[in-house]
Amino acid sequence: MSQLDTFALEQNPVPVAANDNPIGFVAALDDQPIEGGFDPVFGDVTWQTLISGDKTQSNGLVLGVATFAAGGVLHLHRHTPPEFYFGLTGSGTVMLDGQAVEIVPGSAIFIPANAEHGVTAGPTGLTMAYGFGEDAFSQIEYRFSAAQ
């Protein structure tokens, strides 16, 4: 190996992003801003992001909590990464590739990559955790189905 090659290997030509060296942390739900609820394309769901590389010093994981009022909706959509939902309070129906699946506290739903899915909350509303094996929520491209 030449001296130039050795020198190049010893250098770090790519800047290190904050998220390249994540550290452990605690994120409290009550400290997170409420997002969503205003874009009719999404529906009337709101969410709070707990872990996401565009907001926290983390990588490889997105975790948040979505909240629906009684009868609230997240319209049918798809995205490339798989996702999970975990019921916390209330109940609702998840449409998953045309099949209605009930979500209740303690139930986990796996949503495969590119599966069409949407949520309608039950009569008492719904709170659920959601997550992706991605670096940041802002990287998830939502593709909504036919106009609602």
Side-chain angles (χ1 to χ4, degrees):
M1 183 177 292
S2 74
Q3 287 182 333
L4 182 58
D5 290 336
T6 302
F7 175 77
L9 288 174
E10 292 173 349
Q11 304 305 306
N12 188 2
V14 178
V16 176
N19 298 358
D20 286 345
N21 295 304
I23 59 170
F25 62 90
V26 174
L29 186 62
D30 289 343
D31 294 339
Q32 308 313 312
I34 295 173
E35 302 176 78
F38 52 84
D39 185 344
V41 172
F42 274 81
D44 50 12
V45 60
T46 61
W47 62 89
Q48 293 167 276
T49 305
L50 291 160
I51 300 172
S52 178
D54 53 358
K55 297 177 184 227
T56 58
Q57 189 171 340
S58 59
N59 60 25
L61 178 71
V62 172
L63 176 66
V65 174
T67 303
F68 298 80
V73 298
L74 170 59
H75 294 305
L76 290 171
H77 64 281
R78 300 172 189 271
H79 38 68
T80 300
E83 183 178 18
F84 74 84
Y85 293 161
F86 183 75
L88 299 171
T89 65
S91 65
T93 301
V94 176
M95 290 303 293
L96 180 54
D97 275 339
Q99 298 286 98
V101 178
E102 185 178 19
I103 185 167
V104 296
S107 65
I109 298 174
F110 174 73
I111 302 160
N114 295 307
E116 183 181 56
H117 60 288
V119 180
T120 301
T124 62
L126 172 66
T127 303
M128 65 182 195
Y130 63 88
F132 301 92
E134 294 291 322
D135 288 336
F137 187 69
S138 60
Q139 295 174 342
I140 312 298
E141 180 186 342
Y142 280 69
R143 299 182 314 272
F144 286 90
S145 302
Q148 307 297 320

